């Protein structure tokens, strides 16, 4: 069946410049009562920084959002704030503002949207729970595991989405779509809400493309760390204005960065990076990852995003709590960033494999809709299904932004919960072999917590 891509006939053309986009979003920024209090450049007090970093502050909207006070992971102050970096401050401001709106939209729902039912009763009209990632038997048996196995007979809330390959409607578990959503039944305890696959853009197809690419990125992050993949180091042998400028700015930071080709068997270009600050003890090592159809953009993106990530890490306090209690986004990253654990990254830094950046550049279509089709077909060819839900809030829609959530259930999820790393997911043990790399069984998986944040 030919793929049908969702479009929005009511949306106007995207703003042509960053300045025009910022003007479009300006009505949502006002400390006297707008959605976003302010957008400001974040000062760098310690550590090293490559690029300007901005934050968009929502304050504490948790008391206004439905059900967030009862969510399993309580919304903390600034939990929905957006952050962004760029070669120029205007780009950082736009990225931070859009991210804040994206996060806000991902926490808004109406109970009337939901259908209470079991997966078995919905049959082919719903996502097949046999396809979703799952914890292994040993994980489920551990007292600290917060999850249970998916149960097709257990009632849960479902929301209407669409299969991007066929265009057919499908029911999707609400806990896989929304953030800070309270668990209302045992059936919903198979999942930990996470932002993976959420994206916003003034163009509908571009939003969907960004969301799908983030799912691919997070799959690569999980595979790389859990299986300790000795990824090929990237040799940058091509020139590009954006990439060249990012590399030149980065060279002045004093950071040592090694780039790796983290493209999996899916064939969608992905770059993983390891940053080392040789003078730091608190944030010595930091990882980043980006999936882009142009890998030159992915290299530039990991440098930009590691700037905001490293800055956020400077404000995190080390915690001596046991691994069983690791569940927050920064828990593993803070633990692994310490100088005394730099050696843990040797499986990457000592990799003997090499890949030229020029060899990673695929032939891709020009338009966002065609690129989305190209990516979805790649996932289909690998046996994956791709679902999407429009979660645009009224505030976002008023500016022309569209916010979407994409779910690719067959991919390995990124998890910050040490006792729920979804080690029973089939792809965790099949993808490395298809990539020509060794496969570790569950007892030999990486025992260290996830360093990505």
């Amino acid at each position: 069946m030919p793929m049908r891509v969702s479009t929005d006939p009511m949306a106007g053309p995207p703003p042509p410049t960053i300045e025009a986009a910022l003007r479009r979003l300006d009505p949502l920024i006002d400390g006297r009562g707008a959605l976003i209090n302010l957008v400001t450049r974040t000062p760098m007090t310690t550590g090293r920084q490559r690029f300007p970093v901005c934050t968009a502050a929502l304050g504490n909207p948790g008391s206004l959002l439905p059900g967030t006070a009862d969510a399993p992971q309580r919304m903390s102050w600034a939990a929905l704030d957006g952050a962004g970096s760029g070669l120029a401050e205007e780009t950082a401001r736009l990225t931070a503002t859009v991210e804040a709106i994206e996060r806000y939209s991902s926490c808004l729902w109406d109970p009337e949207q939901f259908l209470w039912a079991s997966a078995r009763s919905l049959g082919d009209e719903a996502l097949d729970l046999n396809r979703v990632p799952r914890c292994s038997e040993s994980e489920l048996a551990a007292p600290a595991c917060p999850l249970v196995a998916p149960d097709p007979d257990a009632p849960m809330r479902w929301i209407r989405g669409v299969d991007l390959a066929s265009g057919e409607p499908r029911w999707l578990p609400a806990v896989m779509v929304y953030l800070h959503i309270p668990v209302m039944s045992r059936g919903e305890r198979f999942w930990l809400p996470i932002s993976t696959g959420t994206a916003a853009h003034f163009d509908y197809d571009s939003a969907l493309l960004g969301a799908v690419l983030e799912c691919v990125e997070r799959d690569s992050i999980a595979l790389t760390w859990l299986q300790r993949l000795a990824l090929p180091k990237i040799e940058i042998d091509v020139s590009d204005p954006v990439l060249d400028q990012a590399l030149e700015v980065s060279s002045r930071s004093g950071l040592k960065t090694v780039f790796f080709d983290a493209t999996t068997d899916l064939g969608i270009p992905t770059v993983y990076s390891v940053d080392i600050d040789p003078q730091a003890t608190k944030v010595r090592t930091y990882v980043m990852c980006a999936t882009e159809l142009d890998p030159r953009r992915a290299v530039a993106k990991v440098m930009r995003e590691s700037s905001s990530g490293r800055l956020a890490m400077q404000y995190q306090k080390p915690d001596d709590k046991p691994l069983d209690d690791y569940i927050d986004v920064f828990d593993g990253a803070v633990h692994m960033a310490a100088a005394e654990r730099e050696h843990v990254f040797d499986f990457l830094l000592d990799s003997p494999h090499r890949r030229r950046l020029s060899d990673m550049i695929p032939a891709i279509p020009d338009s966002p809709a065609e690129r989305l089709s190209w990516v979805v077909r790649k996932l289909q060819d690998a046996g994956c299904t791709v679902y999407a839900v429009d979660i645009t809030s009224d505030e976002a829609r008023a500016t022309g932004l569209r916010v979407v959530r994409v779910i690719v259930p067959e991919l390995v999820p990124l998890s910050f919960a040490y006792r729920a790393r979804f080690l029973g997911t089939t792809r965790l043990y099949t993808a490395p072999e298809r990539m020509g790399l060794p496969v570790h069984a569950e007892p030999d998986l990486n025992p260290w917590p996830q360093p990505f944040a």
Side-chain angles (χ1 to χ4, degrees), residues 83-133:
S85 60
L87 291 173
E89 184 171 334
E90 292 77 10
T91 304
R93 289 178 63 84
L94 178 60
T95 303
T97 304
V98 171
E99 183 174 272
I101 297 169
E102 172 191 310
R103 290 184 176 183
Y104 170 78
S105 298
S106 69
C107 297
L108 283 175
W109 65 85
D110 185 336
E112 293 187 3
Q113 294 175 274
F114 300 146
L115 171 69
W116 272 98
S118 68
R120 195 180 304 280
S121 68
L122 293 175
D124 293 340
E125 295 184 23
L127 181 154
D128 183 356
L129 293 185
N130 289 322
R131 290 178 170 268
V132 303

Side-chain angles (χ1 to χ4, degrees), residues 18 32 41 59 86 128 187 191 206 243 250 298-299 357 384 424 428 450 453:
I18 291 175
R32 296 168 296 181
R41 181 164 177 171
D128 183 356
W191 194 251
S206 294
L243 175 60
S250 179
V299 172
L357 185 60
C384 297
L428 180 57
Q450 174 59 248

Side-chain angles (χ1 to χ4, degrees), residues 270-413:
T270 301
V271 172
Y272 192 98
S273 68
V274 178
D275 265 358
I276 301 172
D277 184 344
Q279 297 182 11
T281 55
K282 178 181 177 182
V283 188
R284 171 71 62 87
T285 311
Y286 188 71
V287 304
M288 187 51 64
C289 189
T291 298
E292 295 282 344
L293 297 189
D294 185 340
R296 293 170 295 188
R297 297 292 184 266
V299 172
K301 186 176 180 180
V302 295
M303 285 187 282
R304 291 197 311 271
E305 294 195 345
S306 68
S307 287
S308 57
R310 274 189 168 275
L311 183 55
M313 290 281 285
Q314 301 295 335
Y315 295 95
Q316 304 299 317
K317 295 181 179 179
D319 198 323
D320 59 357
K321 62 186 178 184
L323 288 177
D324 282 3
D325 295 337
Y326 276 31
I327 196 168
D328 183 76
V329 171
F330 285 102
D331 284 341
V334 170
H335 186 76
M336 298 308 301
E340 61 265 29
R341 298 184 184 92
E342 182 180 352
H343 68 281
V344 178
F345 299 85
D346 285 349
F347 74 91
L348 282 164
L349 298 173
D350 293 343
S351 171
H353 309 296
R354 300 291 184 271
R355 181 75 36 80
R356 292 183 300 183
L357 185 60
S358 59
D359 292 335
M360 294 174 58
I361 303 174
I364 54 175
D366 292 328
S367 74
E370 291 173 324
R371 291 183 176 199
L372 176 61
S373 298
W374 185 88
V375 171
V376 172
R377 279 195 294 269
K378 284 278 191 182
L379 288 164
Q380 275 189 292
D381 291 344
C384 297
T385 49
V386 186
Y387 303 102
V389 182
D390 185 333
I391 59 171
T392 309
S393 62
D394 291 343
E395 293 88 348
R397 191 176 300 276
T399 68
L401 271 180
R402 295 298 178 263
V403 187
V404 299
R405 180 62 179 260
V406 165
I407 298 170
V408 186
E410 295 82 4
L411 299 185
V412 183

Side-chain angles (χ1 to χ4, degrees), residues 47-88:
R48 301 175 190 270
Q49 183 177 350
R50 293 178 171 122
F51 307 103
V53 176
C54 289
T55 56
L58 287 170
N60 186 10
S63 60
L64 301 176
L65 297 173
T68 55
D70 300 318
Q73 293 167 270
R74 293 292 298 274
M75 185 184 297
S76 60
W77 181 266
L80 299 184
D81 287 356
S85 60
L87 291 173

Side-chain angles (χ1 to χ4, degrees), residues 162-241:
V162 64
D163 183 326
L164 282 184
S166 68
E168 297 296 326
R170 288 290 183 273
W171 290 105
L172 306 172
V175 293
M176 297 184 75
V177 174
Y178 292 102
L179 292 179
H180 300 289
I181 186 170
V183 173
M184 300 292 288
S185 70
R186 183 183 181 278
E188 294 181 336
R189 285 185 54 209
F190 72 94
W191 194 251
L192 289 173
I194 190 172
S195 64
T196 298
T198 310
H201 201 282
F202 289 101
D203 174 72
Y204 215 121
D205 293 314
S206 294
L208 288 167
L209 176 60
V212 177
L213 292 179
E214 186 172 79
C215 293
V216 174
E217 169 200 302
R218 301 298 173 84
D219 170 80
S220 180
I221 292 169
L223 283 170
T224 295
W225 189 251
L226 291 172
Q227 284 285 357
R228 285 179 282 196
L229 301 181
L231 301 174
K233 293 181 181 178
I234 295 175
E235 298 175 351
I236 298 178
D237 62 337
V238 292
S239 181
D240 171 84

